[in-house]
Amino acid sequence: MAVHLVSPLTEFAPAKLNLTLEVLGKRTDGYHEIASLVAFADAGDVLTLRPGEDARVTASGPFGHSIAGANLVETALHLVARAEGRLRLGAVHLEKNLPVAAGIGGGSADAAAVLRLLRRANPELSGGIDWHRLAMQLGADVPVCLQSRLSWMTGIGEKVEPIQLNSPFALHAIIANPLVAVPPDKTAQVFRAVRAPPLAADFIAPPFAHAQAGGIALVDFIASSRNTLQRAASDIVPAIAEVLKDLKQLPGSRLARMSGGGPTCFAIFDTAAVAEAARVILAEARPQWWVVAANLG
């Protein structure tokens, strides 16, 4: 009898960049309410699912050694299995190209990619599954990573509003991480240090007012905004200030900012060629850092 072989499925897990991040206050449930303009890079991890094989996770890549023990990829596999026992799972291989605990949603992007892989591997069952709810259970950044497109993110991350621009648009950027050790509870430390004011129980986050704007207006909005966590994170991980200083001084740099809770930072440039030239300069000056040029969208 012929054996039916199922081809492996592959998903890209792009780095998530918080172009802006405002902590609006602390909610009555203890969580922090945020508003963030989020974009995704054409740099990221790659996940491959081999449907039907034992549900296990392997890793390779520049940062594959950082994946040890339980991780969000395994958690996502087990969560989906509990949600719908009839789903066909499989072995997952993670090519880990993004640094971990970096403020660019690497683990969240990987978990979201697992959800997309399982959705593709089970088309006959996927329509009856609330993938957004599963993403929320995996982490605050996973819902926006599930969509992996330019979005306005509010709540604790569970409210995702995709942004439609008037014309195709991409931001040209350099993304840099100093690859220094960070505290295991870095994000919690950063949020505590911000000392966000309490919010009323009926607080509603503002919508994104520039949803129909073009690229120039979007860059202006980013430049006029901030990352509330940047100062606190720089106190906890001093190398962040050094990364920001270097990014600001690069030829053609329009703005430099930290993503998420750091320590990864980014700078925006007018063209991909200018960004690549600046990447070469920074990579030569800081060979110990992780530095890539990327398009964000």
Side-chain angles (χ1 to χ4, degrees):
M1 183 177 65
V3 178
H4 178 64
L5 299 178
V6 179
S7 299
L9 301 174
T10 300
E11 274 285 330
F12 183 59
K16 171 197 67 69
L17 275 294
N18 297 93
L19 302 177
T20 72
L21 199 166
E22 189 80 22
V23 178
L24 303 175
K26 195 169 186 179
R27 307 185 334 179
T28 55
D29 61 7
Y31 291 102
H32 288 84
E33 181 85 19
I34 66 166
S36 178
L37 179 62
V38 178
F40 291 87
D42 55 5
D45 298 334
V46 179
L47 289 92
T48 301
L49 172 71
R50 295 186 178 276
E53 295 187 9
D54 291 340
R56 55 189 175 85
V57 178
T58 56
S60 64
F63 298 98
H65 64 279
S66 302
I67 308 299
N71 57 73
L72 270 183
V73 173
E74 289 184 3
T75 302
L77 277 172
H78 297 320
L79 179 66
V80 175
R82 291 195 300 270
E84 174 51 82
R86 295 174 295 170
L87 285 176
R88 179 173 53 186
L89 304 180
V92 175
H93 182 76
L94 167 61
E95 181 186 315
K96 190 65 182 167
N97 301 313
L98 301 176
V100 301
I104 51 177
S108 296
D110 295 341
V114 170
L115 298 185
R116 293 195 299 271
L117 283 168
L118 295 176
R119 187 167 59 190
R120 289 170 55 196
N122 298 272
E124 71 285 357
L125 296 172
S126 62
I129 296 174
D130 188 341
W131 297 98
H132 182 83
R133 181 182 62 82
L134 292 177
M136 288 172 54
Q137 293 179 36
L138 288 166
D141 279 344
V142 182
V144 73
C145 289
L146 185 62
Q147 297 199 29
S148 290
R149 57 176 296 185
L150 185 68
S151 298
W152 183 243
M153 181 174 68
T154 55
I156 62 171
E158 81 281 8
K159 299 174 183 176
V160 180
E161 176 190 347
I163 295 174
Q164 299 286 348
L165 296 178
N166 291 336
S167 58
F169 175 70
L171 290 171
H172 310 291
I174 288 178
I175 310 172
N177 184 296
L179 298 181
V180 296
V182 300
D185 62 342
K186 173 205 64 176
T187 302
Q189 284 192 41
V190 170
F191 272 98
R192 283 197 301 269
V194 169
R195 299 184 184 278
L199 288 177
D202 59 350
F203 176 83
I204 299 176
F208 185 64
H210 300 258
Q212 299 302 321
I216 295 176
L218 189 66
V219 174
D220 290 341
F221 172 75
I222 297 166
S224 66
S225 304
R226 62 173 181 162
N227 182 337
T228 306
L229 305 178
Q230 188 167 294
R231 178 176 294 181
S234 298
D235 290 339
I236 295 168
V237 184
I240 292 171
E242 191 174 16
V243 178
L244 288 168
K245 178 182 177 182
D246 282 10
L247 287 173
K248 289 175 183 177
Q249 293 177 344
L250 288 170
S253 175
R254 295 191 59 178
L255 64 92
R257 184 164 295 153
M258 184 184 78
S259 178
T264 302
C265 302
F266 63 91
I268 300 297
F269 299 82
D270 285 332
T271 69
V274 173
E276 173 57 22
R279 182 203 65 80
V280 172
I281 293 172
L282 185 59
E284 290 180 350
R286 301 289 191 178
Q288 74 277 24
W289 291 3
W290 178 75
V291 180
V292 297
N295 294 319
L296 313 179

